Amino acid sequence: MPRFHYPAFAAGFVLLFASASVTGFAQSHQDYLLTDNWKFTKGEVANAAAPAFRDAKWQTVRVPHDWAIYGPFGADNDKQQVKIEQNKEEQATVKTGRTGGLPFVGVGWYRRQLEVPGFGAGKRAVLVFDGAMSDARVFINGKEVGRWPYGYNSFHFDITDYLQASGNNTLAVRLENQPESSRWYPGAGLYRNVHLIVSNDVHIPVWGTYLTTPEINTEFAKVRLKTKVETPGNTFQPLRLETEIRDAAGQVVATTSSTLAATDQQEFEQNLIVKAPKLWSPETPTLYTATSKLYAGDVLKDEYKTPFGIRSFKFEAGKGFSLNGQSRKFKGVCNHHDLGPLGAAVNKAALRRQLVLLKDLGCDAIRTTHNMPAPELVKLCDEMGFMLMVESFDEWKTPKVKNGYSQYFDEWAEKDLVNMVHQYRSNPSVIMWSIGNEVPDQSAPGGNKLAKRLQDIVHREDPTRPVTAGMDRIGDAIKNNFASVLDIPGFNYKPQLYPDADSKLPQGFLLGSETASTVSSRGVYKFPVELAKQKKYPDNQSSSYDVEYCVWSQIPDIEFAAQDTLPYVAGEFVWTGFDYLGEPTPYDESWPSHSSYFGILDLAGMPKDRYYLYRARWNTQQPTLHVLPHWTWPGREGQTTPVYCYTNSPSAELFVNGKSMGRQTKSNTADLRTRNRLMWNDVQYQPGSIKVVAYDAQGKAVAEETVRTAGKPHHIRLVADRTQLAADGQDQAYITARVEDAQGNLCPDATEQLRFKVSGAGSFRAIGNGDPTSLESFQAPQMHAFHGQLVAIVQTTGKPGAVRVQATGKGLKSGEVTLQTAAEKVR
Ligand code: GAL
């Protein structure tokens, strides 16, 4: 059987990001973030790209900006009459909230005056768009500079020849989102950052370095840095590149200097040695930085930084995956790109908060479904320690939705793959590339050839990482030689078929590229508690006992069993870490559902019970003990109300109002739940309390957890995820508001409307309660609590100081929390 051995890999990101508008790390190379002073309007406008066009009446916005997240929600926004084949549907029905029920369809225009500091003879200017949704057409001074259809990819245009020497320039961007172009909420507009890069005409281009670590042992790591250069007319010049590598403490650990030869084809190759390398892993995300200075004679022409990590990994037949020589399985989640109440508008603090929550969960890997991530996410994964499967497409030639990527595939697929790989091929977090998700071409004649073609493109651009794809049509994919082509066969929702697939495939290992798709709503418990497929209730919610799933999917325990018993399975990527906008299965046809039920955490980032089921398994550093449901059930007295406990202890005892209901121990029975959950199925509800006491393997009590029946809602408690923030106009705090009784118990059914007032050095940014049926605006400073809780997002201003956050609600004592912001970056 073939083996894949990816000896080592390393990292890098191209340019320094900064939150202010003027940044960059040297006079020779400036990176300006185009955040402020954008004008925006929705709808087609004639001559909007012309410099003389008057945009004074347009809205003034900051970028990143998602024009659709402001709503209003409506069942008619992108209503789709469709038969979803992946969901085994037999006839077309009308899907209302499939893309989030938000008004993202249509044309939008952005305009901005563009100053290019220091521009003149011998300078070049490039615009980099981290992502623009979608079909971007970019104009400078009324002339079209370029087009990029795929909304998720980063792209760049050299605008040097379009700029006026006088310095007065107009940048205009036209975007258009077609109806029926997506299976989830895509967002709309300039939802990721836009950079202006000013460099010398002799320079290192965007994504111009490629850093690998072809050899790693305990004594040293070999670091290979390939650096492209561009010169006027791309003619050869005898340039010199000086590179130094610093470790995480800033100490120089290696240096080299080389001269470009005429035969080098405008690319330097430098090999350096780092002695006694500190390896990158999710647990120890150690980064080094290579700084390269490009000289023509004695003149510094460009300076370029490539952060990187040193790590090796392997996929091996019969053994699965190992990192730095240690066997491990991906404890991964799939995530869509939206940030709940912020929509698609990227924000680093929002991403960091997600990663902090996922770290606590014990998650070590993310699949960026089903498209390229924001660069901020990749950088944070390098720094915080997450392994990434970077995915490209949800569609190739055969469409899933009427106006999806298939219309662009032939012309754009290669360009899109090349940009993706060039942008992230030096980042240590990126472990594998995915060329597609559940593409119907698995079943089409020639589908395997397409897979081969795309995989070859990726290998050509980055021979150091394997390629996978998420396959759902396991029979076809095997029969058609589609699965056998891939470096790593990835299967979606097929744990029962792993042994059969493995026996028919040459690789000898495979991956749970998408798993579980269990559905639940935070705080909602349905009775009787029973395993149920595609279960629907009149309130459009799903039970948080974690027993409900879809036609094609499962409860988590089924995947766990396969992962535990099959060494050649390299791990799993759960669908999904966070709930996302759109795809409200099993309520695809039932407005007002418009966001997903699949998340381990809800749309506002609050953990559902399932969080603790995964945490008990994945977080091996800290104890987990969690009991469900809540214990406030007026009217259920005397009725059977099962109690579940999620813990990493082998057994626990339940006490209801002080009386023991017996000890349960994890066990191997035909009901796979008994391996992971302690269940007392016959408990009769009486108000009071439930307490679980966890015991270790020796029978010693190690922890306990109590849930009490709540009294009447009494006050609001505000809990901030962080209280020290950067006064940079971008940083955010996430404030969880809890409606509690006088004793501090969560009132689990509270629905009070909570109003926020933010004063001082911050402002209200957005709000969410995790209810997939809520039509309240994410952007207004009030919302009803969903099962006693909601989350408000507060954003800092540019001025340092205190931020006072207050929440009021009718009949409730108000809540308050104070945050501090400082000019210095605090994290
Ligand atoms: C998969 C698909 C995902 C999502 C999921 C829901 O088939 O790849 O994008 O639709 O199902 O369970």
Side-chain angles (χ1 to χ4, degrees), residues 86 183 370 437-438 492-493 514 517 552 575 583 598:
Q86 288 75 26
R183 300 193 297 115
H370 298 299
N437 171 61
E438 299 188 354
N492 292 4
Y493 310 106
E514 196 171 311
S517 268
W552 62 92
W575 191 263
E583 213 180 27
F598 297 118

Side-chain angles (χ1 to χ4, degrees), residues 126 208 244 310 372 567 622 668 804:
V126 174
E244 69 178 24
I310 298 172
M372 300 80 176
Q622 284 154 315
N668 257 327
R804 188 159 168 237

Side-chain angles (χ1 to χ4, degrees), residues 362-378:
C363 165
D364 64 11
I366 296 169
R367 172 178 178 229
T368 69
T369 47
H370 298 299
N371 36 256
M372 300 80 176
E376 290 84 353
L377 177 65
V378 180

